[in-house]
Amino acid sequence: DGGITQSPKYLFRKEGQNVTLSCEQNLNHDAMYWYRQDPGQGLRLIYYSQIVNDFQKGDIAEGYSVSREKKESFPLTVTSAQKNPTAFYLCASRPNVGFKWGNTEAFFGQGTRLTVV
Amino acid sequence: RKEVEQDPGPFNVPEGATVAFNCTYSNSASQSFFWYRQDCRKEPKLLMSVYSSGNEDGRFTAQLNRASQYISLLIRDSKLSDSATYLCVVPGGSYIPTFGRGTSLIVHP
């Protein structure tokens, strides 16, 4: 079955440590997104990528980094510069960009819950 | 004005009630709209898409008012299992899915 997979489901980070969250999709989608969700809040965009080897900052990119070396993969690194990383991280993908596909829904992975210890 | 706005609630209703949520958006160029359902500590899942004036799926009806730039979600005959957060999603610049804060629904016996 096609889908989008995030791992790990739970992640614990020590102060000053970098951690990487994995996001893999086999839906052949061009566009991929990382969101952060805090308790009682909506989803805020961290980074997005519309094509391989290209990505753009979202609204809250500080303290995060991404790469898009393969169409299927869009890992997110939470760096030590992110002062408040405890949150629920969601990865999503959409088929394509442009008007024809711009109005399609996003598909989500199951999320990674990151906690600073 | 925020791109997508929702009343966070919570909406607390008895089983069998009809409840409606509204969502306002600022991007007048948006062509499609989505309602997602999110259960506690889970990922959002697509509930309904709205591409024209509205859409209906069983107990759920979504309507679009382009002139006033809002979409609504109506749930009839509420079930306990409908308790969740309902997220309104509107494609923003570069068709990036842009989320409202979500509306919390609690259905009680």
Side-chain angles (χ1 to χ4, degrees):
Chain A
D1 278 341
I4 181 166
T5 302
Q6 288 186 243
S7 62
K9 190 171 181 180
Y10 299 97
L11 186 58
F12 298 90
R13 192 195 94 166
K14 294 181 180 179
E15 295 281 352
Q17 190 179 43
N18 291 358
V19 291
T20 298
L21 284 58
S22 171
C23 179
E24 303 276 334
Q25 53 97 0
N26 60 3
L27 300 166
N28 200 33
H29 287 175
D30 284 314
M32 297 186 74
Y33 310 89
W34 274 106
Y35 294 91
R36 167 181 174 144
Q37 188 176 34
D38 293 283
Q41 302 295 316
L43 278 66
R44 293 185 290 167
L45 183 68
I46 304 173
Y47 268 97
Y48 67 98
S49 169
Q50 296 180 319
I51 197 168
V52 175
N53 293 321
D54 186 57
F55 49 83
Q56 306 295 329
K57 292 182 179 180
D59 300 319
I60 56 167
E62 186 175 351
Y64 300 97
S65 66
V66 294
S67 63
R68 187 84 187 277
E69 297 176 2
K70 298 186 299 181
K71 188 175 186 178
E72 303 79 21
S73 179
F74 191 41
L76 173 74
T77 297
V78 184
T79 75
S80 57
Q82 171 49 240
K83 297 306 178 189
N84 185 23
T86 296
F88 188 40
Y89 291 86
L90 286 157
C91 180
S93 69
R94 270 184 53 250
N96 211 324
V97 296
F99 181 79
K100 179 180 178 183
W101 295 103
N103 298 301
T104 55
E105 72 268 24
F107 295 78
F108 282 88
Q110 291 184 310
T112 294
R113 198 163 295 277
L114 175 63
T115 303
V116 173
V117 296
Chain B
R1 181 180 181 181
K2 288 186 179 178
E3 287 191 72
V4 182
E5 291 198 71
Q6 294 182 252
D7 179 349
F11 285 66
N12 203 321
V13 303
E15 271 186 293
T18 295
V19 62
F21 313 133
N22 278 346
C23 166
T24 58
Y25 62 93
S26 60
N27 184 3
S28 60
S30 296
Q31 297 293 313
S32 60
F33 308 86
F34 306 94
W35 283 102
Y36 280 74
R37 170 191 169 130
Q38 186 177 28
D39 293 295
C40 187
R41 305 175 75 84
K42 299 283 190 180
E43 77 276 21
K45 293 187 177 178
L46 182 68
L47 178 66
M48 296 188 76
S49 307
V50 187
Y51 296 108
S52 55
S53 60
N55 192 10
E56 185 171 329
D57 183 6
R59 298 183 294 110
F60 298 84
T61 300
Q63 291 191 317
L64 168 63
N65 185 317
R66 288 191 188 276
S68 301
Q69 293 184 211
Y70 76 83
I71 59 173
S72 62
L73 178 67
L74 181 77
I75 305 175
R76 291 179 295 275
D77 188 24
S78 298
K79 311 291 184 190
L80 295 176
S81 58
D82 293 333
S83 298
T85 296
Y86 292 84
L87 299 165
C88 173
V89 183
V90 179
S94 300
Y95 302 104
I96 296 168
T98 304
F99 288 77
R101 184 181 168 186
T103 298
S104 176
L105 172 64
I106 301 170
V107 182
H108 59 80

PDB file of all heavy atoms in Angstrom, chain A residues 73-104:
ATOM      1  N   SER A  73      12.062  11.068   0.037  1.00  0.00           N
ATOM      2  CA  SER A  73      12.528  11.308   1.390  1.00  0.00           C
ATOM      3  C   SER A  73      12.693  12.789   1.690  1.00  0.00           C
ATOM      4  O   SER A  73      13.237  13.547   0.874  1.00  0.00           O
ATOM      5  CB  SER A  73      13.869  10.582   1.574  1.00  0.00           C
ATOM      6  OG  SER A  73      14.385  10.802   2.864  1.00  0.00           O
ATOM      7  N   PHE A  74      12.263  13.188   2.881  1.00  0.00           N
ATOM      8  CA  PHE A  74      12.357  14.596   3.278  1.00  0.00           C
ATOM      9  C   PHE A  74      12.638  14.649   4.785  1.00  0.00           C
ATOM     10  O   PHE A  74      11.770  14.978   5.593  1.00  0.00           O
ATOM     11  CB  PHE A  74      11.050  15.306   2.929  1.00  0.00           C
ATOM     12  CG  PHE A  74      11.088  16.812   3.042  1.00  0.00           C
ATOM     13  CD1 PHE A  74      12.181  17.544   2.620  1.00  0.00           C
ATOM     14  CD2 PHE A  74       9.983  17.501   3.546  1.00  0.00           C
ATOM     15  CE1 PHE A  74      12.197  18.928   2.710  1.00  0.00           C
ATOM     16  CE2 PHE A  74       9.985  18.889   3.636  1.00  0.00           C
ATOM     17  CZ  PHE A  74      11.092  19.603   3.224  1.00  0.00           C
ATOM     18  N   PRO A  75      13.856  14.341   5.200  1.00  0.00           N
ATOM     19  CA  PRO A  75      14.159  14.314   6.636  1.00  0.00           C
ATOM     20  C   PRO A  75      14.278  15.716   7.228  1.00  0.00           C
ATOM     21  O   PRO A  75      14.727  16.662   6.557  1.00  0.00           O
ATOM     22  CB  PRO A  75      15.509  13.584   6.689  1.00  0.00           C
ATOM     23  CG  PRO A  75      16.119  13.823   5.347  1.00  0.00           C
ATOM     24  CD  PRO A  75      14.987  13.894   4.372  1.00  0.00           C
ATOM     25  N   LEU A  76      13.902  15.820   8.484  1.00  0.00           N
ATOM     26  CA  LEU A  76      13.957  17.083   9.229  1.00  0.00           C
ATOM     27  C   LEU A  76      14.934  16.930  10.381  1.00  0.00           C
ATOM     28  O   LEU A  76      14.812  15.998  11.173  1.00  0.00           O
ATOM     29  CB  LEU A  76      12.572  17.430   9.784  1.00  0.00           C
ATOM     30  CG  LEU A  76      12.493  18.635  10.722  1.00  0.00           C
ATOM     31  CD1 LEU A  76      12.624  19.942   9.941  1.00  0.00           C
ATOM     32  CD2 LEU A  76      11.173  18.628  11.505  1.00  0.00           C
ATOM     33  N   THR A  77      15.888  17.836  10.476  1.00  0.00           N
ATOM     34  CA  THR A  77      16.809  17.851  11.607  1.00  0.00           C
ATOM     35  C   THR A  77      16.440  18.985  12.548  1.00  0.00           C
ATOM     36  O   THR A  77      16.311  20.143  12.114  1.00  0.00           O
ATOM     37  CB  THR A  77      18.274  18.005  11.139  1.00  0.00           C
ATOM     38  OG1 THR A  77      18.631  16.869  10.354  1.00  0.00           O
ATOM     39  CG2 THR A  77      19.220  18.104  12.334  1.00  0.00           C
ATOM     40  N   VAL A  78      16.262  18.629  13.797  1.00  0.00           N
ATOM     41  CA  VAL A  78      16.009  19.616  14.836  1.00  0.00           C
ATOM     42  C   VAL A  78      17.352  19.901  15.488  1.00  0.00           C
ATOM     43  O   VAL A  78      17.946  19.012  16.114  1.00  0.00           O
ATOM     44  CB  VAL A  78      14.996  19.089  15.866  1.00  0.00           C
ATOM     45  CG1 VAL A  78      14.669  20.167  16.888  1.00  0.00           C
ATOM     46  CG2 VAL A  78      13.732  18.603  15.163  1.00  0.00           C
ATOM     47  N   THR A  79      17.851  21.099  15.317  1.00  0.00           N
ATOM     48  CA  THR A  79      19.187  21.407  15.805  1.00  0.00           C
ATOM     49  C   THR A  79      19.143  21.954  17.220  1.00  0.00           C
ATOM     50  O   THR A  79      18.074  22.299  17.752  1.00  0.00           O
ATOM     51  CB  THR A  79      19.890  22.415  14.884  1.00  0.00           C
ATOM     52  OG1 THR A  79      19.327  23.718  15.113  1.00  0.00           O
ATOM     53  CG2 THR A  79      19.732  22.034  13.423  1.00  0.00           C
ATOM     54  N   SER A  80      20.308  22.079  17.811  1.00  0.00           N
ATOM     55  CA  SER A  80      20.401  22.620  19.167  1.00  0.00           C
ATOM     56  C   SER A  80      19.994  24.089  19.218  1.00  0.00           C
ATOM     57  O   SER A  80      19.725  24.638  20.287  1.00  0.00           O
ATOM     58  CB  SER A  80      21.826  22.459  19.705  1.00  0.00           C
ATOM     59  OG  SER A  80      22.743  23.089  18.826  1.00  0.00           O
ATOM     60  N   ALA A  81      19.912  24.722  18.055  1.00  0.00           N
ATOM     61  CA  ALA A  81      19.496  26.130  18.013  1.00  0.00           C
ATOM     62  C   ALA A  81      18.001  26.296  18.224  1.00  0.00           C
ATOM     63  O   ALA A  81      17.518  27.403  18.504  1.00  0.00           O
ATOM     64  CB  ALA A  81      19.881  26.745  16.662  1.00  0.00           C
ATOM     65  N   GLN A  82      17.268  25.208  18.130  1.00  0.00           N
ATOM     66  CA  GLN A  82      15.821  25.257  18.371  1.00  0.00           C
ATOM     67  C   GLN A  82      15.619  25.168  19.874  1.00  0.00           C
ATOM     68  O   GLN A  82      15.824  24.111  20.485  1.00  0.00           O
ATOM     69  CB  GLN A  82      15.106  24.125  17.637  1.00  0.00           C
ATOM     70  CG  GLN A  82      13.629  23.933  17.970  1.00  0.00           C
ATOM     71  CD  GLN A  82      12.809  25.218  17.928  1.00  0.00           C
ATOM     72  OE1 GLN A  82      12.231  25.623  18.918  1.00  0.00           O
ATOM     73  NE2 GLN A  82      12.785  25.831  16.777  1.00  0.00           N
ATOM     74  N   LYS A  83      15.198  26.263  20.473  1.00  0.00           N
ATOM     75  CA  LYS A  83      15.191  26.369  21.941  1.00  0.00           C
ATOM     76  C   LYS A  83      14.004  25.659  22.587  1.00  0.00           C
ATOM     77  O   LYS A  83      14.053  25.326  23.759  1.00  0.00           O
ATOM     78  CB  LYS A  83      15.190  27.841  22.340  1.00  0.00           C
ATOM     79  CG  LYS A  83      16.441  28.580  21.886  1.00  0.00           C
ATOM     80  CD  LYS A  83      17.704  27.884  22.362  1.00  0.00           C
ATOM     81  CE  LYS A  83      18.953  28.588  21.871  1.00  0.00           C
ATOM     82  NZ  LYS A  83      20.182  27.800  22.156  1.00  0.00           N
ATOM     83  N   ASN A  84      12.961  25.452  21.856  1.00  0.00           N
ATOM     84  CA  ASN A  84      11.776  24.820  22.432  1.00  0.00           C
ATOM     85  C   ASN A  84      11.257  23.753  21.484  1.00  0.00           C
ATOM     86  O   ASN A  84      10.192  23.921  20.875  1.00  0.00           O
ATOM     87  CB  ASN A  84      10.708  25.886  22.693  1.00  0.00           C
ATOM     88  CG  ASN A  84       9.504  25.326  23.407  1.00  0.00           C
ATOM     89  OD1 ASN A  84       9.586  24.295  24.074  1.00  0.00           O
ATOM     90  ND2 ASN A  84       8.367  25.978  23.239  1.00  0.00           N
ATOM     91  N   PRO A  85      11.964  22.643  21.333  1.00  0.00           N
ATOM     92  CA  PRO A  85      11.618  21.671  20.305  1.00  0.00           C
ATOM     93  C   PRO A  85      10.521  20.683  20.685  1.00  0.00           C
ATOM     94  O   PRO A  85      10.045  19.950  19.818  1.00  0.00           O
ATOM     95  CB  PRO A  85      12.929  20.926  20.067  1.00  0.00           C
ATOM     96  CG  PRO A  85      13.620  21.006  21.382  1.00  0.00           C
ATOM     97  CD  PRO A  85      13.247  22.320  21.985  1.00  0.00           C
ATOM     98  N   THR A  86      10.133  20.634  21.925  1.00  0.00           N
ATOM     99  CA  THR A  86       9.117  19.670  22.336  1.00  0.00           C
ATOM    100  C   THR A  86       7.811  19.966  21.624  1.00  0.00           C
ATOM    101  O   THR A  86       7.236  21.035  21.793  1.00  0.00           O
ATOM    102  CB  THR A  86       8.918  19.715  23.858  1.00  0.00           C
ATOM    103  OG1 THR A  86      10.126  19.297  24.488  1.00  0.00           O
ATOM    104  CG2 THR A  86       7.770  18.814  24.279  1.00  0.00           C
ATOM    105  N   ALA A  87       7.362  19.029  20.791  1.00  0.00           N
ATOM    106  CA  ALA A  87       6.154  19.234  19.989  1.00  0.00           C
ATOM    107  C   ALA A  87       5.855  17.953  19.230  1.00  0.00           C
ATOM    108  O   ALA A  87       6.616  16.980  19.281  1.00  0.00           O
ATOM    109  CB  ALA A  87       6.352  20.384  18.990  1.00  0.00           C
ATOM    110  N   PHE A  88       4.740  17.980  18.512  1.00  0.00           N
ATOM    111  CA  PHE A  88       4.317  16.896  17.621  1.00  0.00           C
ATOM    112  C   PHE A  88       4.664  17.334  16.209  1.00  0.00           C
ATOM    113  O   PHE A  88       4.234  18.407  15.767  1.00  0.00           O
ATOM    114  CB  PHE A  88       2.811  16.686  17.798  1.00  0.00           C
ATOM    115  CG  PHE A  88       2.244  15.486  17.096  1.00  0.00           C
ATOM    116  CD1 PHE A  88       2.919  14.278  17.064  1.00  0.00           C
ATOM    117  CD2 PHE A  88       1.002  15.552  16.485  1.00  0.00           C
ATOM    118  CE1 PHE A  88       2.386  13.166  16.438  1.00  0.00           C
ATOM    119  CE2 PHE A  88       0.449  14.442  15.845  1.00  0.00           C
ATOM    120  CZ  PHE A  88       1.141  13.251  15.824  1.00  0.00           C
ATOM    121  N   TYR A  89       5.475  16.534  15.498  1.00  0.00           N
ATOM    122  CA  TYR A  89       5.932  16.902  14.173  1.00  0.00           C
ATOM    123  C   TYR A  89       5.229  16.037  13.127  1.00  0.00           C
ATOM    124  O   TYR A  89       5.241  14.807  13.214  1.00  0.00           O
ATOM    125  CB  TYR A  89       7.456  16.733  14.058  1.00  0.00           C
ATOM    126  CG  TYR A  89       8.195  17.755  14.882  1.00  0.00           C
ATOM    127  CD1 TYR A  89       8.464  17.530  16.227  1.00  0.00           C
ATOM    128  CD2 TYR A  89       8.589  18.968  14.317  1.00  0.00           C
ATOM    129  CE1 TYR A  89       9.128  18.485  16.993  1.00  0.00           C
ATOM    130  CE2 TYR A  89       9.261  19.921  15.074  1.00  0.00           C
ATOM    131  CZ  TYR A  89       9.521  19.676  16.406  1.00  0.00           C
ATOM    132  OH  TYR A  89      10.161  20.617  17.150  1.00  0.00           O
ATOM    133  N   LEU A  90       4.674  16.698  12.155  1.00  0.00           N
ATOM    134  CA  LEU A  90       3.913  16.005  11.113  1.00  0.00           C
ATOM    135  C   LEU A  90       4.513  16.281   9.745  1.00  0.00           C
ATOM    136  O   LEU A  90       4.803  17.428   9.392  1.00  0.00           O
ATOM    137  CB  LEU A  90       2.456  16.472  11.123  1.00  0.00           C
ATOM    138  CG  LEU A  90       1.623  15.930  12.286  1.00  0.00           C
ATOM    139  CD1 LEU A  90       0.434  16.829  12.571  1.00  0.00           C
ATOM    140  CD2 LEU A  90       1.155  14.513  11.988  1.00  0.00           C
ATOM    141  N   CYS A  91       4.669  15.226   8.974  1.00  0.00           N
ATOM    142  CA  CYS A  91       5.147  15.317   7.606  1.00  0.00           C
ATOM    143  C   CYS A  91       3.965  15.048   6.680  1.00  0.00           C
ATOM    144  O   CYS A  91       3.123  14.196   6.971  1.00  0.00           O
ATOM    145  CB  CYS A  91       6.244  14.286   7.366  1.00  0.00           C
ATOM    146  SG  CYS A  91       6.936  14.281   5.708  1.00  0.00           S
ATOM    147  N   ALA A  92       3.883  15.780   5.602  1.00  0.00           N
ATOM    148  CA  ALA A  92       2.781  15.613   4.657  1.00  0.00           C
ATOM    149  C   ALA A  92       3.310  15.670   3.231  1.00  0.00           C
ATOM    150  O   ALA A  92       4.394  16.205   2.974  1.00  0.00           O
ATOM    151  CB  ALA A  92       1.720  16.697   4.863  1.00  0.00           C
ATOM    152  N   SER A  93       2.522  15.130   2.312  1.00  0.00           N
ATOM    153  CA  SER A  93       2.893  15.213   0.897  1.00  0.00           C
ATOM    154  C   SER A  93       1.656  15.445   0.048  1.00  0.00           C
ATOM    155  O   SER A  93       0.522  15.175   0.473  1.00  0.00           O
ATOM    156  CB  SER A  93       3.618  13.935   0.454  1.00  0.00           C
ATOM    157  OG  SER A  93       2.726  12.832   0.428  1.00  0.00           O
ATOM    158  N   ARG A  94       1.873  15.996  -1.130  1.00  0.00           N
ATOM    159  CA  ARG A  94       0.819  16.242  -2.119  1.00  0.00           C
ATOM    160  C   ARG A  94       1.330  15.840  -3.471  1.00  0.00           C
ATOM    161  O   ARG A  94       2.539  15.876  -3.704  1.00  0.00           O
ATOM    162  CB  ARG A  94       0.431  17.718  -2.114  1.00  0.00           C
ATOM    163  CG  ARG A  94      -0.668  18.075  -1.162  1.00  0.00           C
ATOM    164  CD  ARG A  94      -1.058  19.534  -1.271  1.00  0.00           C
ATOM    165  NE  ARG A  94      -1.370  19.862  -2.657  1.00  0.00           N
ATOM    166  CZ  ARG A  94      -0.604  20.646  -3.412  1.00  0.00           C
ATOM    167  NH1 ARG A  94       0.482  21.192  -2.946  1.00  0.00           N
ATOM    168  NH2 ARG A  94      -0.946  20.895  -4.648  1.00  0.00           N
ATOM    169  N   PRO A  95       0.447  15.498  -4.414  1.00  0.00           N
ATOM    170  CA  PRO A  95       0.895  14.945  -5.691  1.00  0.00           C
ATOM    171  C   PRO A  95       1.850  15.829  -6.478  1.00  0.00           C
ATOM    172  O   PRO A  95       2.850  15.371  -6.994  1.00  0.00           O
ATOM    173  CB  PRO A  95      -0.414  14.770  -6.470  1.00  0.00           C
ATOM    174  CG  PRO A  95      -1.442  14.599  -5.437  1.00  0.00           C
ATOM    175  CD  PRO A  95      -1.015  15.470  -4.294  1.00  0.00           C
ATOM    176  N   ASN A  96       1.579  17.104  -6.584  1.00  0.00           N
ATOM    177  CA  ASN A  96       2.346  17.926  -7.494  1.00  0.00           C
ATOM    178  C   ASN A  96       2.101  19.386  -7.148  1.00  0.00           C
ATOM    179  O   ASN A  96       1.347  19.698  -6.250  1.00  0.00           O
ATOM    180  CB  ASN A  96       1.934  17.657  -8.946  1.00  0.00           C
ATOM    181  CG  ASN A  96       3.101  17.861  -9.891  1.00  0.00           C
ATOM    182  OD1 ASN A  96       3.921  18.749  -9.678  1.00  0.00           O
ATOM    183  ND2 ASN A  96       3.183  17.051 -10.908  1.00  0.00           N
ATOM    184  N   VAL A  97       2.744  20.238  -7.842  1.00  0.00           N
ATOM    185  CA  VAL A  97       2.499  21.666  -7.659  1.00  0.00           C
ATOM    186  C   VAL A  97       1.896  22.195  -8.951  1.00  0.00           C
ATOM    187  O   VAL A  97       1.824  21.510  -9.941  1.00  0.00           O
ATOM    188  CB  VAL A  97       3.789  22.427  -7.317  1.00  0.00           C
ATOM    189  CG1 VAL A  97       4.321  21.933  -5.990  1.00  0.00           C
ATOM    190  CG2 VAL A  97       4.826  22.246  -8.414  1.00  0.00           C
ATOM    191  N   GLY A  98       1.458  23.394  -8.920  1.00  0.00           N
ATOM    192  CA  GLY A  98       0.814  23.946 -10.105  1.00  0.00           C
ATOM    193  C   GLY A  98      -0.680  23.835 -10.000  1.00  0.00           C
ATOM    194  O   GLY A  98      -1.213  23.094  -9.188  1.00  0.00           O
ATOM    195  N   PHE A  99      -1.356  24.543 -10.843  1.00  0.00           N
ATOM    196  CA  PHE A  99      -2.792  24.699 -10.694  1.00  0.00           C
ATOM    197  C   PHE A  99      -3.526  23.379 -10.753  1.00  0.00           C
ATOM    198  O   PHE A  99      -4.440  23.112 -10.000  1.00  0.00           O
ATOM    199  CB  PHE A  99      -3.350  25.650 -11.757  1.00  0.00           C
ATOM    200  CG  PHE A  99      -4.827  25.858 -11.609  1.00  0.00           C
ATOM    201  CD1 PHE A  99      -5.316  26.725 -10.643  1.00  0.00           C
ATOM    202  CD2 PHE A  99      -5.726  25.181 -12.405  1.00  0.00           C
ATOM    203  CE1 PHE A  99      -6.680  26.909 -10.494  1.00  0.00           C
ATOM    204  CE2 PHE A  99      -7.094  25.367 -12.261  1.00  0.00           C
ATOM    205  CZ  PHE A  99      -7.570  26.233 -11.302  1.00  0.00           C
ATOM    206  N   LYS A 100      -3.113  22.493 -11.663  1.00  0.00           N
ATOM    207  CA  LYS A 100      -3.861  21.252 -11.839  1.00  0.00           C
ATOM    208  C   LYS A 100      -3.881  20.443 -10.552  1.00  0.00           C
ATOM    209  O   LYS A 100      -4.895  19.851 -10.194  1.00  0.00           O
ATOM    210  CB  LYS A 100      -3.230  20.422 -12.953  1.00  0.00           C
ATOM    211  CG  LYS A 100      -3.946  19.084 -13.174  1.00  0.00           C
ATOM    212  CD  LYS A 100      -3.293  18.285 -14.271  1.00  0.00           C
ATOM    213  CE  LYS A 100      -3.997  16.938 -14.428  1.00  0.00           C
ATOM    214  NZ  LYS A 100      -3.325  16.101 -15.460  1.00  0.00           N
ATOM    215  N   TRP A 101      -2.762  20.436  -9.848  1.00  0.00           N
ATOM    216  CA  TRP A 101      -2.675  19.595  -8.665  1.00  0.00           C
ATOM    217  C   TRP A 101      -2.740  20.405  -7.390  1.00  0.00           C
ATOM    218  O   TRP A 101      -2.720  19.858  -6.307  1.00  0.00           O
ATOM    219  CB  TRP A 101      -1.370  18.796  -8.687  1.00  0.00           C
ATOM    220  CG  TRP A 101      -1.322  17.835  -9.811  1.00  0.00           C
ATOM    221  CD1 TRP A 101      -0.630  17.966 -10.965  1.00  0.00           C
ATOM    222  CD2 TRP A 101      -2.035  16.603  -9.912  1.00  0.00           C
ATOM    223  NE1 TRP A 101      -0.856  16.897 -11.772  1.00  0.00           N
ATOM    224  CE2 TRP A 101      -1.711  16.049 -11.163  1.00  0.00           C
ATOM    225  CE3 TRP A 101      -2.909  15.926  -9.061  1.00  0.00           C
ATOM    226  CZ2 TRP A 101      -2.229  14.848 -11.578  1.00  0.00           C
ATOM    227  CZ3 TRP A 101      -3.424  14.726  -9.479  1.00  0.00           C
ATOM    228  CH2 TRP A 101      -3.086  14.197 -10.723  1.00  0.00           C
ATOM    229  N   GLY A 102      -2.764  21.713  -7.532  1.00  0.00           N
ATOM    230  CA  GLY A 102      -2.696  22.554  -6.340  1.00  0.00           C
ATOM    231  C   GLY A 102      -3.883  22.404  -5.429  1.00  0.00           C
ATOM    232  O   GLY A 102      -3.831  22.746  -4.263  1.00  0.00           O
ATOM    233  N   ASN A 103      -4.966  21.872  -5.972  1.00  0.00           N
ATOM    234  CA  ASN A 103      -6.176  21.798  -5.181  1.00  0.00           C
ATOM    235  C   ASN A 103      -6.460  20.387  -4.691  1.00  0.00           C
ATOM    236  O   ASN A 103      -7.607  20.022  -4.484  1.00  0.00           O
ATOM    237  CB  ASN A 103      -7.341  22.328  -6.017  1.00  0.00           C
ATOM    238  CG  ASN A 103      -7.122  23.779  -6.382  1.00  0.00           C
ATOM    239  OD1 ASN A 103      -6.987  24.619  -5.507  1.00  0.00           O
ATOM    240  ND2 ASN A 103      -7.064  24.086  -7.656  1.00  0.00           N
ATOM    241  N   THR A 104      -5.412  19.615  -4.505  1.00  0.00           N
ATOM    242  CA  THR A 104      -5.589  18.271  -3.966  1.00  0.00           C
ATOM    243  C   THR A 104      -5.234  18.271  -2.489  1.00  0.00           C
ATOM    244  O   THR A 104      -4.492  19.126  -2.012  1.00  0.00           O
ATOM    245  CB  THR A 104      -4.676  17.272  -4.696  1.00  0.00           C
ATOM    246  OG1 THR A 104      -3.329  17.748  -4.603  1.00  0.00           O
ATOM    247  CG2 THR A 104      -5.067  17.146  -6.155  1.00  0.00           C
TER     248      THR A 104
END
